[in-house]
Structure formats: C-alpha cells, structure tokens
Amino acid sequence: MFVPKDRMLKSILRMLNRCEYFFTGLHTTIQQFTKNGRLNIDSSTTHEDNDYQLFQQLGKGQCGTVYALPDTDKVLKIMNPDKKDQLWNDCCMHKRIEEAFQQRPFELHKQQIPIKIPQFGGWIPPVHVAFWQECRGKSLSSEGEVEVQLLPTYGLISSRISPPPLALRSAILKTCAPKKLLRSHTTSDLLSRPENKDCLIRLYLGRRSSSRHQHPSSSTSPFKLQNFDLTLNEMETLNLPTTTYAKTMAQTLAILHWKANVDGNDIEFVLGGPSPLQLPIISPPPSAAVLELLPHGPDDPWYFGLAGKGGSEPARDALLPSHSDSTYAGDEGEKAAMYLLDFNQCTPLNLPRSSNPQQTSSYPSTPPASTETTILQLQRSFFFNDPYYPRPYTTSRFAPDKDKELWNTFKSAYLETSNLITRAGTELPQLFIQAVEKEATRRAEAGKGGGNLFA
C-alpha cells in the first residue's frame, strides 16, 4: 500500500512526540551530571569548587573508547576519530537487539537464555555542552594520573559489565599465565593490577591452543586478563560449561538473525560478573524503529530532546550511582555471566521478499534480496567474527570428536531456536548452517582450518 510522504512524516513525528518525555528528561539529567557522576540539582557547583574526578578508561575498540562514569554503574563510549557513523550504528543496533531479546517468543522466555546485554542508556551528542564540560578530571595511564578533558563529541551510554568473579580470574591466571610470571609474582599481586581487575574474558569455542606458552595473550605481549582470549581447551581444563556456552551462542545468533534481522557481524561473547542492580527508568527509551527513522540520524534535534518544552525529568535515575559498590568486587561465590556486546559492525539483513512470515515489520525496510545474497551475508559474518562459535570442521588433532560434538550442539540449538521464531516458515536457517559447513570444509582443505576470516 502506498503511503503519502506527508502522512508518513506526520506518523514519524507522532512517534517522536511520544518519546519526547524521555529525552527532555535525559537532556536535564546529563546537564545535572556533576562531580563523581552524581546528580546535583544546584547547577552552581563547578570543578572550581571541587577536586577533579577520576575517569577510568576501560578499553578502546575500533569505533570508540570506553570510560567508566565515576560512581555509577554506567559507561560512556565516545567515538574514535571519524567513527561517528559507526558509533551511531552501534547505538541503533544495540537498541534493536535489546528489543529483539525482550520480544522473543514465549517458549524462549521460558528457557531463560543465559545471555546478558548491557542496558541501553542513551545517546549524547556534542550539543550537550553542560555534560561535556563536566567530563574532565584525571585518567589513569601507564605513566600515572594525567589530566583529561573529554571534548564535546558523540557518546553512547550503557550499563557497565562487571568483571568476572575473583575465583575465576585466579583460576585463569594459574592455568594460562606463563610459569615464569607465576614464579616471580604472587597471584594476589597479579590480580590486584588494573589490567587483571577491570577485565572481560572472550570465549573462543572455535579455537584450541596447544599450550599456555603459545597462548596469543602471553606470547606477543605482557600477560593480562583484560580482553583475554580463553580458548576451548583452556575452558575444558577449568571445567567451564562449554556445552552451555555453545547452546547460548546459537540461541543468541538465531535471535539476532530472525528476530532482530541483523547479521551479527563482529559481535563479541565475553564472560563478566553478575549484572549490577539496574535502577528503573520511569519512561522507556524510544524504539529502535524510531531511532533508525530519524531524518538526520545522530544529529537529529528530536532525538536530543531539544525540540521539547523541558522541565520534566523522567530519566533522572539514568546516571545515579549504584546502590552497592560491591557489585564490581568480583567476590568469591559470585557467578560468571555471558554478555553480548559491540554492535557497530552489525548490518540489517536484506531478506528475500516472502522468506519469513514472522519477520519484524517495525524496522526500516531494506531492499529485498535473493536467497543466495542473504545466506552469503550471514555466512561471511559468521567467519568474519573472532572464533567464538564452535566450528563444524577442525584440523585439530587434540580433540576432534569433542569439537564435532560441540558443533552439533550449536547447530541443533540454532535450528530449534530459529524454528521457534519463524514458526518454521522459512528454510533460511537450514541453508545458513549448510553454507557454514561447506565453507568450513573448504577452508580446512585449503589449509586455513575452521577458523575466522583471518585464520
């Protein structure tokens, strides 16, 4: 059915008006973000009257650098040079994927898939001058404390992932660190270092390392747990639930493909700690469909709340500190949790016209594609990722039967979840699995193994 352009724009504006209440509040909230990340209603408080706050850089990726917002359970990811579009895509895909998990079929809600996604917090553009003026203080570096001023730029706020429990970090250290390092330092000394405290563990079910001394993280650079690549055989040594990990990754990928309708390109699966206590947001953020329909994308004034009347403060809790500082302590007894993150390279799927009767229709439409084009997009994304997923074909001589069994677990869970989402209304999930198996065999025969694109 043809919809006149003016009617479509009016419809979009009505949706945006519904979101205005949230964003005018977010605008107010970030203007009130002052010393220690706490909300201070008295806007006269400035850094001239207080000590500088400490901004901790947690990591740096392809499109952004991540800072912890002091005394909160939130992080701020600011764009790297010339990466505005990628960070905006991260924002839109983050919200789309978050919604897909919230809206997954009832049968999948009952299964309680053990995957967590950092809670989407908001988009901060350069026009929020008051917020960026408060983003100055000190930052820790290898040279010690240095003054830092986060210049007005584009930023994405989300909840912080706590580090894995202390017991797990200690076990990984004892299992994977070079013996020379363990002989010259105590475990407690190594675990007290920032790079071994504020860390996330990447789960590489698609790779085995022959020995700890050949581990990528210890052979080319000083050993650290920050962004540590934990391989399959090391997980087995640590008695981690690899079967559960494989099933969870498969269910997650199926939801990304057939509920969020994205290819899952370059996403990460990591181990962290339990989720921090989430404070309620009075008014929910806008839908992914609204974000992706904004005429001016990351620079659209409607999104920033600048077209609102101001005064309301529904998102006041968004930057409040956590109720407990022990959330990030990684105390023994806490359970590790798997997280999904980094969506800046995800791309919406171009699906065949009548391929999926259960396809979410609220997202901006993409041009229909042939079945071959869709499958190729999914297959390339599977192998472009780091080797998180099990591989259908392995040249490993260490445990080929275990690897095959793990792939079969992944395959079965992916197809089962896909059928629940699509109500078995498309053959695309099966075609995707077949394409992955065919490409893995080709790579193995060519001497590349079943690894990623760069194997």
Side-chain angles (χ1 to χ4, degrees):
M1 180 181 67
F2 174 77
V3 179
K5 186 176 182 181
D6 59 338
R7 285 179 54 191
M8 182 176 68
L9 289 175
K10 288 179 181 179
S11 176
I12 293 172
L13 290 179
R14 281 197 298 270
M15 288 191 293
L16 293 172
N17 272 320
R18 296 189 192 108
C19 304
E20 180 182 329
Y21 181 63
F22 171 81
F23 283 107
T24 53
L26 179 59
H27 189 207
T28 303
T29 296
I30 58 180
Q31 284 183 317
Q32 294 170 335
F33 179 66
T34 59
K35 183 178 181 291
N36 294 330
R38 299 180 185 275
L39 293 176
N40 188 339
I41 304 304
D42 180 7
S43 60
S44 63
T45 303
T46 67
H47 284 296
E48 295 176 359
D49 306 314
N50 299 286
D51 295 330
Y52 275 109
Q53 56 193 333
L54 183 65
F55 277 85
Q56 182 184 6
Q57 181 177 323
L58 299 178
K60 186 172 184 177
Q62 183 182 32
C63 78
T65 302
V66 180
Y67 290 90
L69 290 176
D71 289 347
T72 77
D73 62 357
K74 304 291 189 293
V75 295
L76 172 66
K77 185 176 186 178
I78 64 173
M79 75 165 200
N80 290 337
D82 301 320
K83 297 296 182 180
K84 181 181 76 171
D85 290 343
Q86 283 195 26
L87 190 63
W88 175 245
N89 189 63
D90 196 352
C91 171
C92 294
M93 293 298 102
H94 188 153
K95 188 58 188 164
R96 182 191 279 220
I97 291 166
E98 185 178 76
E99 286 180 5
F101 275 85
Q102 293 167 349
Q103 299 167 7
R104 65 187 184 270
F106 175 72
E107 297 90 337
L108 295 177
H109 274 289
K110 289 195 302 181
Q111 293 181 23
Q112 295 182 337
I113 301 173
I115 188 79
K116 299 179 184 293
I117 301 173
Q119 186 181 35
F120 178 87
W123 176 258
I124 312 296
V127 294
H128 284 307
V129 178
F131 176 86
W132 294 109
Q133 285 177 341
E134 297 300 336
C135 287
R136 59 177 178 174
K138 296 182 182 294
S139 179
L140 291 176
S141 69
S142 56
E143 290 79 27
E145 289 189 359
V146 295
E147 289 191 8
V148 61
Q149 169 71 62
L150 302 183
L151 298 176
T153 183
Y154 297 89
L156 175 61
I157 290 180
S158 61
S159 61
R160 181 177 178 178
I161 302 176
S162 58
L166 180 62
L168 177 58
R169 283 182 280 140
S170 177
I172 293 174
L173 192 71
K174 293 175 181 177
T175 301
C176 303
K179 290 182 178 179
K180 183 178 179 180
L181 181 66
L182 295 174
R183 286 195 298 264
S184 59
H185 297 81
T186 64
T187 302
S188 58
D189 173 50
L190 293 172
L191 289 173
S192 66
R193 297 178 180 180
E195 64 268 23
N196 294 329
K197 290 177 65 177
D198 297 304
C199 62
L200 299 174
I201 307 299
R202 294 176 174 138
L203 295 172
Y204 281 2
L205 295 182
R207 175 180 291 170
R208 289 182 178 273
S209 58
S210 57
S211 75
R212 73 171 70 173
H213 303 294
Q214 295 179 8
H215 195 286
S217 297
S218 60
S219 60
T220 60
S221 60
F223 183 90
K224 61 181 180 180
L225 293 180
Q226 192 174 49
N227 295 326
F228 186 79
D229 304 338
L230 191 66
T231 57
L232 179 56
N233 55 297
E234 291 165 343
M235 295 181 220
E236 293 168 344
T237 300
L238 294 164
N239 290 318
L240 293 177
T242 54
T243 299
T244 299
Y245 293 162
K247 183 176 180 180
T248 301
M249 289 183 188
Q251 292 172 319
T252 299
L253 190 61
I255 292 172
L256 262 60
H257 286 172
W258 313 120
K259 190 62 181 176
N261 297 145
V262 299
D263 57 15
N265 190 36
D266 209 26
I267 56 176
E268 293 193 23
F269 292 90
V270 300
L271 277 186
S275 295
L277 179 63
Q278 298 289 356
L279 297 176
I281 295 178
I282 299 173
S283 179
S287 69
V290 169
L291 293 185
E292 296 177 46
L293 284 170
L294 290 172
H296 302 292
D299 293 300
D300 197 290
W302 282 93
Y303 183 75
F304 305 148
L306 300 182
K309 299 176 182 178
S312 60
E313 299 172 0
R316 175 180 292 276
D317 289 339
L319 295 177
L320 282 174
S322 327
H323 286 307
S324 171
D325 292 332
S326 65
T327 304
Y328 302 123
D331 296 327
E332 291 200 42
E334 292 181 352
K335 293 183 179 180
M338 186 190 294
Y339 289 82
L340 176 69
L341 66 155
D342 281 358
F343 311 116
N344 61 289
Q345 293 292 327
C346 287
T347 304
L349 289 179
N350 293 328
L351 292 167
R353 190 176 299 276
S354 59
S355 63
N356 185 2
Q358 297 296 320
Q359 179 185 355
T360 304
S361 59
S362 60
Y363 302 129
S365 61
T366 55
S370 67
T371 297
E372 292 75 15
T373 299
T374 301
I375 296 304
L376 183 60
Q377 180 183 358
L378 295 177
Q379 180 249 85
R380 284 179 171 173
S381 297
F382 181 95
F383 285 102
F384 183 85
N385 279 18
D386 286 351
Y388 295 106
Y389 310 118
R391 294 306 192 240
Y393 189 101
T394 177
T395 57
S396 170
R397 65 182 185 279
F398 298 103
D401 293 338
K402 286 185 177 181
D403 292 350
K404 184 176 181 179
E405 181 180 350
L406 202 62
W407 166 254
N408 287 334
T409 296
F410 178 93
K411 174 180 177 178
S412 297
Y414 177 85
L415 292 175
E416 179 183 352
T417 305
S418 299
N419 285 336
L420 284 173
I421 295 170
T422 66
R423 304 303 178 191
T426 175
E427 62 178 352
L428 291 178
Q430 182 66 51
L431 293 176
F432 162 67
I433 290 294
Q434 292 173 0
V436 169
E437 292 178 333
K438 181 178 179 180
E439 175 63 13
T441 301
R442 186 195 68 78
R443 287 166 177 259
E445 292 174 349
K448 290 186 176 182
N452 68 351
L453 182 68
F454 308 105

